[in-house]
Amino acid sequence: MQYDVIIGLEVHAELKTESKCFCSCKNEYGSSPNRNCCPVCMALPGALPVLNKKAVEQTIRAGLALGFEINQTAIFERKNYFYPDLSKAYQISQLEKPICINGHLKVFDKEIPINRIHLEEDAGKLIHQDDLSMIDYNRCGVPLIELVTDALVEPHIETADEAIEFLTKLRQIYIYAGVADCEMEKGQMRADVNISLRPKGSKEFGTKVEMKNIMGFKSIHRAINYEIERQKEILDDGGVIVQETRKWDNDKGESYSLRTKENAEDYRYFPDPDLLAVNISNEEIQKIKESMPLLPDQLKKVFLEEYGLNEYDSDVILANKEVSDLYRACLEMYFQPKSVANWFTTEILARIKAEDKIQIDKENLVWIIKSVDEKKIRRNAAKDLLSYIWGTGLNAEAEAKKQGIMADMSSDAVFEILDKVLQEKASVVDQFKQEQDPKILNYLVGQVMKETRGKANAQEVMEKLKERLS
Ligand SMILES: [Zn+2]
């Protein structure tokens, strides 16, 4: 039987803020366990939450970057559940009136509708070691945004490839907008995936199966394809899909049932009596709009139309914000978009792939690129120089001089000698003009190289010679 596949995504991202969502504890990754905690994020009796304005601002920023409408009144609710990663036994979240509603994101050729983005607090982290379970509450109360795609309206995400493209683009947008760092290995971005199948052409939805907290895009891709196949087999055999949450085991490449799915009513949401409704003014929204940096799609337009780069080079540079920031900073000093891009798509990216970190500043990089363009250093020598100073803080120019890799003569001095040779060899020049024999050109270049004692760039001499004789 043929099926339509409907994939829904719920994506959590930790916001970039100084402090937590409802208290003044630091929002910081990697501190020693239970260091950034206080009575508020632990919900000790009598402690009252105070909303962090910056967290609301960041949520609005995320919404605007994805074309959302901003609700001018948003409310916080308590989502009740008992689990040791949250000492409150409830999570402050939003159900009825989230901050952002009705956004969209273009995935390949489809504009995927997004239902909402709401602001909530993150839970702590459980660490299991042998027989022991430990809890680190540092993450409790860290501002978290949850984005939910709208699987009830067309079009849907239908394949694993589309889901990954969606997540990749979303991550890029959050990073470029300055909303979140989204470092996957730090758990700063996490995705839950739900999947349902229905007979091709049917309007009714099938039963959803959810997979929570799958680590990494590659695992998500595998997990989706596995789940589609699993449901197909059950349906083809005349079975029924059980509404449940399944856990993906990436080592085994399969999933197993975790629990049958709870519905929203199981959480007994109710408005948090300790928090006032959030009022967001038009002026506030306008201010955030005006401070929005250029996002990947806008930058790509600039790269293609103003810089004349091709699609591939643009995508490669834009894939990493640090790389594209450095690229643009270099252009501010030396506006040769293609020549600079050439270094980025080869030398710089190769190093970043290996080390995950840019270890050269724009001044030194521009000096190297420019020196090659001006033929002061040969390309291969420049590549070696880049490797040599990468990560050391050494100065490119000083190092080039020290290593003696700079062309010894300035172009002007070389051209003077060229002109002298042309005068002396006037008869050879005449002969060339009649016969157009390339051997004669080689002979003249050789004469110049001899005069300069090999200190000129032969290729440059040849180009200049052709120019003179044309
Ligand atoms: Zn706190």
Side-chain angles (χ1 to χ4, degrees):
M1 192 152 179
Q2 297 278 330
Y3 299 98
D4 285 331
V5 176
I6 294 160
I7 299 173
L9 295 173
E10 290 176 16
V11 189
H12 288 95
E14 284 180 357
L15 292 178
K16 234 161 93 167
T17 56
E18 292 290 318
S19 55
K20 291 187 182 180
C21 203
F22 301 104
C23 63
S24 55
C25 290
K26 266 194 201 159
N27 172 11
E28 187 179 66
Y29 180 87
S31 319
S32 52
N34 299 307
R35 168 144 260 161
N36 304 327
C37 299
C38 74
V40 176
C41 48
M42 307 295 297
L44 298 186
L48 284 173
V50 177
L51 176 61
N52 179 352
K53 281 205 87 163
K54 182 75 185 176
V56 176
E57 193 189 305
Q58 290 286 55
T59 309
I60 297 172
R61 191 179 298 277
L64 293 176
L66 291 157
F68 275 87
E69 295 162 37
I70 308 300
N71 260 333
Q72 297 206 294
T73 306
I75 53 172
F76 285 103
E77 278 144 314
R78 290 186 182 179
K79 177 183 182 180
N80 295 277
Y81 74 90
F82 177 76
Y83 198 66
D85 65 357
L86 201 83
S87 68
K88 298 173 145 169
Y90 65 83
Q91 178 190 27
I92 303 177
S93 181
Q94 301 188 299
L95 180 69
E96 294 297 330
K97 284 200 158 209
I99 295 176
C100 316
I101 48 166
N102 300 331
H104 49 85
L105 177 62
K106 195 166 181 186
V107 171
F108 303 126
D109 285 330
K110 288 199 279 190
E111 200 74 63
I112 301 295
I114 312 172
N115 198 315
R116 57 194 280 143
I117 298 177
H118 66 251
L119 175 60
E120 59 185 28
E121 56 180 343
D122 207 346
K125 230 186 276 177
L126 286 168
I127 302 140
H128 306 286
Q129 223 170 58
D130 303 323
D131 290 348
L132 214 63
S133 285
M134 292 172 288
I135 177 80
D136 176 6
Y137 283 129
N138 278 346
R139 211 173 64 181
C140 267
V142 163
L144 193 68
I145 46 175
E146 179 175 342
L147 169 149
V148 184
T149 61
D150 198 339
L152 297 178
V153 290
E154 303 285 349
H156 309 120
I157 299 172
E158 289 169 282
T159 63
D161 285 348
E162 287 177 5
I164 299 308
E165 175 73 2
F166 183 98
L167 292 169
T168 306
K169 283 191 89 173
L170 178 66
R171 181 169 179 270
Q172 255 190 7
I173 289 170
Y174 280 170
I175 293 173
Y176 273 85
V179 166
D181 288 331
C182 298
E183 290 191 43
M184 308 293 292
E185 63 284 1
K186 291 182 182 171
Q188 291 173 339
M189 185 181 185
R190 281 125 48 196
D192 303 342
V193 184
N194 59 68
I195 298 170
S196 68
L197 267 55
R198 63 182 177 194
K200 208 164 190 62
S202 157
K203 286 276 161 270
E204 239 172 274
F205 288 100
T207 306
K208 274 198 286 192
V209 171
E210 187 170 38
M211 291 185 289
K212 274 190 182 294
N213 284 328
I214 314 168
M215 290 295 279
F217 289 176
K218 269 189 198 148
S219 312
I220 293 173
H221 194 272
R222 276 180 83 196
I224 289 174
N225 282 333
Y226 173 88
E227 182 57 23
I228 293 172
E229 285 311 310
R230 193 187 70 87
Q231 291 190 24
K232 260 186 197 164
E233 267 177 43
I234 294 174
L235 292 172
D236 281 345
D237 288 349
V240 243
I241 305 297
V242 184
Q243 184 185 352
E244 62 182 348
T245 301
R246 296 180 72 87
K247 170 105 182 145
W248 172 249
D249 184 331
N250 202 45
D251 293 333
K252 288 190 184 145
E254 58 188 39
S255 67
Y256 55 89
S257 180
L258 209 59
R259 55 177 179 265
T260 51
K261 173 79 175 121
E262 56 285 269
N263 289 311
E265 50 266 33
D266 297 332
Y267 290 117
R268 299 179 179 278
Y269 278 91
F270 67 89
D272 192 311
D274 290 339
L275 287 161
L276 295 171
V278 192
N279 293 310
I280 301 162
S281 68
N282 278 327
E283 291 77 55
E284 231 173 306
I285 297 170
Q286 196 52 36
K287 235 172 90 185
I288 296 170
K289 243 182 214 167
E290 281 159 14
S291 69
M292 188 78 83
L294 287 180
L295 298 172
D297 278 354
Q298 296 165 309
L299 278 169
K300 187 166 172 180
K301 222 172 155 219
V302 174
F303 281 24
L304 295 175
E305 290 170 12
E306 286 174 36
Y307 299 172
L309 301 191
N310 61 34
E311 188 105 358
Y312 174 81
D313 288 354
S314 303
D315 286 342
V316 163
I317 293 172
L318 284 167
N320 181 324
K321 179 165 185 287
E322 252 189 288
V323 172
S324 81
D325 282 351
L326 180 63
Y327 173 68
R328 289 166 68 212
C330 286
L331 290 193
E332 267 172 35
M333 295 175 64
Y334 180 56
F335 193 76
Q336 292 295 333
K338 284 188 191 172
S339 164
V340 177
N342 199 2
W343 281 82
F344 272 78
T345 53
T346 54
E347 300 302 316
I348 302 296
L349 273 163
R351 283 177 178 78
I352 287 175
K353 261 192 191 139
E355 299 166 37
D356 205 32
K357 209 160 72 198
I358 296 178
Q359 300 200 61
I360 187 144
D361 58 22
K362 57 180 178 182
E363 284 81 11
N364 282 307
L365 186 55
V366 164
W367 187 88
I368 291 176
I369 298 173
K370 212 170 154 189
S371 299
V372 172
D373 289 353
E374 290 172 354
K375 302 195 166 60
K376 286 183 188 152
I377 303 184
R378 260 186 293 246
R379 200 170 182 91
N380 283 337
K383 284 181 187 175
D384 292 342
L385 177 65
L386 178 65
S387 297
Y388 189 77
I389 66 166
W390 184 267
T392 61
L394 288 171
N395 179 278
E397 185 173 5
E399 229 19 72
K401 282 183 177 152
K402 209 162 109 190
Q403 294 180 8
I405 55 171
M406 308 261 315
D408 292 312
M409 294 184 86
S410 74
S411 296
D412 286 346
V414 173
F415 297 155
E416 246 171 62
I417 291 174
L418 171 66
D419 286 338
K420 201 182 99 199
V421 168
L422 290 180
Q423 270 176 9
E424 286 170 7
K425 306 281 177 190
S427 60
V428 182
V429 172
D430 284 343
Q431 194 190 344
F432 174 77
K433 280 180 178 163
Q434 281 168 17
E435 298 170 13
Q436 296 289 321
D437 185 352
K439 277 189 205 136
I440 299 174
L441 287 182
N442 287 336
Y443 166 77
L444 287 169
V445 171
Q447 291 301 304
V448 175
M449 294 308 284
K450 203 166 132 195
E451 287 281 319
T452 61
R453 294 200 193 102
K455 287 180 174 179
N457 179 323
Q459 198 192 335
E460 190 186 23
V461 173
M462 179 60 95
E463 277 166 24
K464 198 70 184 177
L465 180 64
K466 282 181 184 162
E467 192 187 304
R468 286 274 200 278
L469 295 184
S470 69

